[in-house]
Amino acid sequence: MDTLTDGRSVTRVRYETRRRELTVTQVKAIRPRLRRVSLAGDFDGFQSLGFDDHIKLFFPDPETGILTLPEPGIPPGDGPKPIMRDYTPRRFDGQTLDIEFALHDADPATSWALNAKVGDILNIGGPRGSMLIPLAYDSYVLISDDTALPAIARRLEELPVGTKVCVVAEVDGLEDRLHFETKADVSVHWVYRQAGHANCLNEALKGMHMPQGDVHVWVACESAQAKLIRQQLIDDHGVNPQWIKASGYWRKGDAGAHDTIGD
């Protein structure tokens, strides 16, 4: 069946983007390695309709404390480059924007989040647009490591009553598991990271059965692993490639990377 005509096609929405200077209003530890920062400021025109939208966060250099911001329409010169990372708007109510940080060693975003306090300033840009997945599938599968748990939590909060969802999520340990608020019919499979094993999610998926019927699968984790998972879904589980959305939320050796995984 043609996904472009059967109601399963993705809708893409574009936004006019600009940089915003926001103020920290609250910092909360959600889990040992997950911290929520709430921000207030000028949100005129700000929109985020997709659960995995991305905004750019701009951070000061951890060593010098100097914040370098891009200038619209001006190519970067030979001086310091902006330090920026992609993050998901966890929740936005028109006045407050929540962002959740998965804490990792030696990352400027982690350094900033660990030291953030009420009154601090954070510059953001975007999102450029949203990708809206229709509710026309029989069920949904969400596969991620801890960097994409905020996106999954948002997705589950927004899904209507009775939507069938399977979540497969990789975390460090028991204390990193989340309790998801949702009206959907959700089953959660936690995968625990093992030292020296880079493909724990792939191994976990080998022993799983995909839900029956037409299934949309969303994947977000380390880039190389996301590629392997996407291919595994196609080869071993028979998932229609058009019904897979896979992203590398980070790349081994380059935490600031964000890759769209395709054919």
Side-chain angles (χ1 to χ4, degrees):
M1 185 175 291
D2 186 354
T3 58
L4 297 179
T5 59
D6 68 358
R8 296 187 181 94
S9 59
V10 168
T11 300
R12 300 184 184 277
V13 182
R14 305 295 295 180
Y15 309 125
E16 182 179 353
T17 60
R18 65 182 179 87
R19 193 170 69 241
R20 303 169 193 271
E21 185 176 278
L22 305 177
T23 303
V24 175
T25 58
Q26 186 181 53
V27 180
K28 182 179 181 180
I30 306 299
R31 288 293 184 269
R33 283 172 280 272
L34 187 66
R35 181 161 297 205
R36 180 182 297 160
V37 177
S38 300
L39 302 158
D42 178 10
F43 290 112
D44 183 41
F46 182 88
Q47 293 187 76
S48 176
L49 300 179
F51 74 97
D52 65 346
D53 290 349
H54 294 287
I55 54 177
K56 294 286 186 185
L57 309 187
F58 300 95
F59 299 103
D61 187 300
E63 297 183 1
T64 67
I66 297 174
L67 174 65
T68 302
L69 296 172
E71 294 295 334
I74 300 177
D78 296 329
K81 301 296 188 294
I83 297 175
M84 52 191 176
R85 296 288 187 270
D86 286 325
Y87 274 82
T88 300
R90 172 63 180 84
R91 186 181 291 112
F92 177 62
D93 62 8
Q95 296 182 323
T96 300
L97 173 65
D98 290 341
I99 301 172
E100 292 179 354
F101 294 79
L103 304 177
H104 297 280
D105 295 337
D107 182 79
T110 291
S111 177
W112 183 88
L114 285 172
N115 293 286
K117 60 186 183 301
V118 173
D120 284 354
I121 300 298
L122 180 65
N123 282 265
I124 75 165
R128 292 179 179 272
S130 297
M131 184 195 71
L132 307 181
I133 301 170
L135 296 173
Y137 293 88
D138 297 322
S139 59
Y140 299 82
V141 177
L142 308 174
I143 303 169
S144 84
D145 62 16
D146 41 10
T147 62
L149 284 179
I152 286 182
R154 175 175 170 179
R155 176 64 163 168
L156 295 180
E157 282 184 6
E158 295 174 350
L159 285 173
V161 175
T163 307
K164 294 186 180 300
V165 187
C166 174
V167 174
V168 185
E170 181 186 48
V171 294
D172 282 339
L174 291 170
E175 69 277 9
D176 298 303
R177 297 186 303 179
L178 296 181
H179 171 71
F180 296 112
E181 298 290 339
T182 184
K183 297 177 181 177
D185 179 4
V186 181
S187 62
V188 182
H189 304 270
W190 294 104
V191 178
Y192 300 112
R193 191 169 288 118
Q194 301 177 40
H197 295 274
N199 298 317
C200 294
L201 274 174
N202 305 70
E203 293 300 319
L205 289 171
K206 288 180 180 178
M208 288 187 59
H209 296 285
M210 286 292 111
Q212 297 298 306
D214 295 338
V215 182
H216 188 279
V217 185
W218 179 86
V219 182
C221 54
E222 194 278 325
S223 187
Q225 186 163 208
K227 292 178 183 178
L228 290 174
I229 290 173
R230 182 182 184 277
Q231 199 60 50
Q232 181 179 335
L233 290 167
I234 297 169
D235 295 342
D236 299 344
H237 297 282
V239 179
N240 186 332
Q242 292 183 323
W243 297 349
I244 302 173
K245 167 65 164 60
S247 298
Y249 267 31
W250 59 286
R251 191 187 307 140
K252 188 174 182 180
D254 184 5
H258 184 96
D259 300 319
T260 299
I261 311 300
D263 293 326

